[in-house]
Amino acid sequence: MLTPVHNAARFEKTAGATAPSLVDEPALDKGGTVIKISTAQLWVNDQEEALAFYTEKLGFEVRADVTLPELGNFRWLTVGPAGQPDIAIVLMAIPGPPVMDAETAEQVRALMAKGFTGTVFLTTDDCNAAYNELRARGLEFVEAPEERPYGIDSSFRDPSGNNIRLMEVRELAEV
């Protein structure tokens, strides 16, 4: 049975603390199994356009680019930030039938255009410098860097409309 490791109404910032998680209680006694995020997915209208954006403008690396003829030329295309080889974002083309009917595909496209199919949060040590560097590469921001209680935050969209936030996170004052 999975049970919460910590029973707290709020997260508290303490040295060496980790966020509450669900783990198998017996595994705790043996050191436990680590579960990590490896891949997340973004819908894209055009994989080539998305690939160019994420590699040329954002500076990500290609993790995988495989076309499977036996699956109707399905293309598994992933990118990720340099220095984080265990993290990837799948740039997933919106499929047609039988995977997704035309009406659903259009709904996904409409939500993407509005920036409402999810958000990727990126962090940097210097949001203003990253903002200037990315703008020099031709990236257009929706929101310039702005001071917030948690640090400096900005926002841009990829060519398909996906919302990307770029943040410089600061330590929060202890309560």
Side-chain angles (χ1 to χ4, degrees):
M1 180 176 150
L2 296 177
T3 57
V5 174
H6 302 286
N7 186 11
R10 63 187 170 102
F11 296 99
E12 293 183 4
K13 187 83 174 169
T14 57
T18 58
S21 63
L22 295 178
V23 293
D24 187 355
E25 281 182 317
L28 286 175
D29 297 333
K30 301 172 192 155
T33 302
V34 176
I35 298 173
K36 300 181 199 178
I37 295 173
S38 68
T39 309
Q41 173 191 301
L42 290 175
W43 294 114
V44 297
N45 292 317
D46 181 312
Q47 286 180 308
E48 285 301 318
E49 180 182 44
L51 179 60
F53 176 83
Y54 282 93
T55 58
E56 295 169 16
K57 291 194 178 181
L58 205 49
F60 280 16
E61 302 170 335
V62 175
R63 299 277 190 256
D65 189 350
V66 180
T67 300
L68 304 168
E70 66 274 18
L71 295 177
N73 288 326
F74 170 79
R75 184 179 184 192
W76 180 257
L77 176 60
T78 67
V79 296
Q84 281 189 293
D86 58 337
I87 302 291
I89 297 173
V90 179
L91 303 176
M92 184 70 72
I94 298 170
V99 176
M100 189 179 289
D101 63 58
E103 181 182 350
T104 302
E106 188 50 43
Q107 290 170 342
V108 170
R109 283 186 193 89
L111 288 171
M112 284 169 42
K114 294 177 182 180
F116 284 105
T117 53
T119 301
V120 172
F121 294 85
L122 304 175
T123 60
T124 181
D125 292 335
D126 188 337
C127 191
N128 287 305
Y131 169 82
N132 290 328
E133 180 181 330
L134 294 172
R135 285 192 59 210
R137 291 186 201 162
L139 196 144
E140 294 180 26
F141 278 75
V142 176
E143 295 176 45
E146 184 177 316
E147 286 283 341
R148 304 281 168 97
Y150 50 84
I152 301 173
D153 189 17
S154 62
S155 175
F156 60 91
R157 290 199 175 158
D158 73 8
S160 295
N162 292 300
N163 189 31
I164 314 290
R165 300 214 62 95
L166 178 63
M167 304 181 306
E168 177 183 335
V169 181
R170 296 200 180 121
E171 295 286 324
L172 296 176
E174 296 209 20
V175 184

